[in-house]
Amino acid sequence: SIGTNANASARSVKRRSRGFAPGRPEGLPRRRASGRDTIPDRVVPHTSAAPFRMIDIREVRSRSELKAFVSFPERLYRDHPQYVPKLIGDEIKTLRPDSNPAFDYCEARCWMAFRGATPVGRITGIISHLYNETWGKKRARFGWLDFEDDPAVSEALLGTVEPWARS
């Protein structure tokens, strides 16, 4: 029994020496002292060089559009090894006014960006009227922001939510 523990300890030391922290699944990087992961930068081709097509921003209005909105990251991040999918049912409940009590005092709108018929991004704008009334502010926030690596898509999405928030 002593030999078994010694072997386990030797494997643990060997694993640490290869750069893996104990208790983390193999393949995940250790954190640097600065707190940043040691994941190397990925070189991603810039999609703006592709043939130009107009970015179409559409507001999410139906249940099927909401499901497509919530499911969009599944396609976008499908090849990313660190991506953890959300529970689609929970996300839908979070964004539906009839199932989220925050909508008693908040307003939210969701938009998706399309290039042709292909979804390329999404965003949600949120205004908490209770917060704004309580603190005498006029603030909004955004979330659920995911898009392909294309500045035109991010500009179109943020350019849609900003005027809505100001109105």
Side-chain angles (χ1 to χ4, degrees):
S1 116
I2 293 175
T4 305
N5 288 338
N7 288 339
S9 178
R11 279 193 304 268
S12 177
V13 168
K14 186 176 182 181
R15 180 172 288 162
R16 274 188 237 129
S17 68
R18 289 189 310 201
F20 296 106
R24 293 184 65 131
E26 276 198 37
L28 289 180
R30 294 182 72 180
R31 290 202 173 265
R32 294 181 185 164
S34 67
R36 294 186 345 191
D37 284 337
T38 57
I39 300 173
D41 293 334
R42 288 179 52 196
V43 178
V44 180
H46 197 280
T47 57
S48 289
F52 178 76
R53 284 195 230 160
M54 187 66 85
I55 305 298
D56 182 28
I57 304 294
R58 300 179 202 157
E59 186 171 352
V60 174
R61 296 184 187 271
S62 70
R63 186 175 255 181
S64 62
E65 290 172 343
L66 183 59
K67 187 171 182 184
F69 177 90
V70 168
S71 302
F72 173 71
E74 303 293 321
R75 185 187 65 79
L76 183 64
Y77 302 119
R78 71 177 164 249
D79 296 328
H80 196 287
Q82 280 80 29
Y83 175 67
V84 177
K86 305 263 183 168
L87 298 173
I88 291 176
D90 286 350
E91 287 288 290
I92 289 173
K93 286 179 185 175
T94 299
L95 294 169
R96 288 193 50 198
D98 61 340
S99 57
N100 184 344
F103 282 99
D104 291 344
Y105 53 88
C106 287
E107 176 184 356
R109 291 204 187 156
C110 302
W111 292 272
M112 287 193 71
F114 292 86
R115 184 175 285 119
T118 305
V120 293
R122 71 178 189 163
I123 194 168
T124 297
I126 305 159
I127 298 174
S128 173
H129 297 293
L130 180 62
Y131 173 88
N132 288 340
E133 290 170 14
T134 302
W135 298 103
K137 307 276 184 182
K138 185 170 167 89
R139 296 208 173 142
R141 60 190 175 106
F142 62 88
W144 287 267
L145 177 61
D146 297 284
F147 52 89
E148 289 184 353
D149 185 24
D150 184 349
V153 176
S154 61
E155 289 171 13
L157 288 166
L158 292 168
T160 300
V161 77
E162 186 177 355
W164 170 80
R166 289 184 190 276
S167 64

